[in-house]
Amino acid sequence: MNTEAHLALGWMLAHAGGAESRRFRQLVVFSALASDLDVLTMIGGVQAYASYHHAIGHNVFFSVMISGICVLLSRHKPWKIVVFSQLGFYSHYFGDYFFTRFPLQYFWPVSYRAFIYSYRIGLDHPINLAFGYASFLILIVMAMKFKRTPIELFSIALDQRIINLFRRRSLICHQCGRGASETCRRCDRPVCIRHGKITRRFMVTCLECSIRPQANESTSPADDKSQYQPNRGES
């Protein structure tokens, strides 16, 4: 299977487990993707890649190591992270077993016996292409439901900016009066895309705060925020 399909499977597993914390989601998705770390054998050349890809990261000992790492990094419920990290690993393993042409050395390095599905297909097969398109569709649907995407695994702020692009603009920009879905991180006033500035850390500030950050940070917003909310009593 292609990487996007493994990612979608890990993301779904994380939410099936309750998605109780960002750390939990990170670890489950990591367990679903980690097996492909053995693709780095390509650095050693074609022969190394052919010998160790789908061997180093696709075996039972690697699965135990992944669960151990996840338990060490998890803050609570070790039994749960063990279960879901194993599910993540095997979602990858069986995805590759049924939908790639590579033999999998499940007991490497104790045994070099390779397992391969008799009706195996290549990554360029229409089924894998369909899985790829379905994966993006699944991620979009889940973003609509849970208001987050896998981007939050790396940056919560960037993920929030992307989600807010598609949210209903129920606020009123304090500078132009147009609909807005963001608020300034310093003065907390609503700001639209045209009058907001995204910082290096993907946070939003209004133009006034970006020009005079010290003055704005030293004073609390004097304006009543309610004036920037839509008047629900108007017809």
Side-chain angles (χ1 to χ4, degrees), residues 8-188:
L9 284 172
W11 192 242
M12 287 189 292
L13 277 172
H15 287 77
E20 55 196 42
S21 68
R22 178 173 176 244
R23 176 63 61 86
F24 179 80
R25 295 190 292 274
Q26 287 175 322
L27 295 176
V28 175
V29 172
F30 167 72
S31 68
L33 295 175
S35 293
D36 275 344
L37 288 173
D38 59 17
V39 76
L40 296 175
T41 55
M42 178 64 77
I43 298 174
V46 176
Q47 185 60 42
Y49 179 80
S51 299
Y52 298 111
H53 182 47
H54 287 96
I56 296 176
H58 293 69
N59 61 77
V60 62
F61 307 107
F62 186 82
S63 77
V64 173
M65 183 184 74
I66 288 299
S67 289
I69 292 173
C70 289
V71 168
L72 289 175
L73 296 177
S74 180
R75 295 189 177 94
H76 57 283
K77 295 182 180 179
W79 64 267
K80 185 171 184 178
I81 198 62
V82 167
V83 169
F84 278 89
S85 62
Q86 285 292 294
L87 289 174
F89 172 83
Y90 283 102
S91 73
H92 189 118
Y93 180 87
F94 286 111
D96 281 357
Y97 179 73
F98 289 109
F99 301 108
T100 65
R101 292 195 178 106
F102 291 95
L104 306 179
Q105 299 180 40
Y106 185 64
F107 296 104
W108 186 94
V110 175
S111 171
Y112 293 95
R113 181 184 177 186
F115 298 87
I116 189 166
Y117 185 54
S118 57
Y119 297 100
R120 60 195 180 277
I121 61 176
L123 292 176
D124 57 346
H125 192 278
I127 290 179
N128 277 318
L129 294 177
F131 283 158
Y133 291 122
S135 298
F136 287 114
L137 179 61
I138 288 170
L139 294 177
I140 292 173
V141 171
M142 292 184 69
M144 295 171 62
K145 178 177 177 58
F146 297 104
K147 301 297 185 289
R148 56 174 169 254
T149 74
I151 293 175
E152 67 122 25
L153 301 175
F154 306 98
S155 172
I156 296 176
L158 176 58
D159 183 56
Q160 196 61 50
R161 301 290 76 75
I162 294 173
I163 291 295
N164 284 351
L165 282 175
F166 301 96
R167 277 185 170 173
R168 180 181 177 184
R169 292 169 173 78
S170 57
L171 304 176
I172 299 175
C173 177
H174 74 280
Q175 290 189 325
C176 67
R178 294 184 179 182
S181 59
E182 295 280 6
T183 57
C184 174
R185 67 180 296 265
R186 291 195 171 97
C187 68
D188 206 30

Side-chain angles (χ1 to χ4, degrees), residues 183-189 199 204-206 209-214 216-217 219-221:
T183 57
C184 174
R185 67 180 296 265
R186 291 195 171 97
C187 68
D188 206 30
R189 293 181 295 182
T199 67
V204 174
T205 60
C206 65
C209 289
S210 63
I211 295 173
R212 298 186 299 273
Q214 293 183 350
N216 282 280
E217 287 179 349
T219 58
S220 59

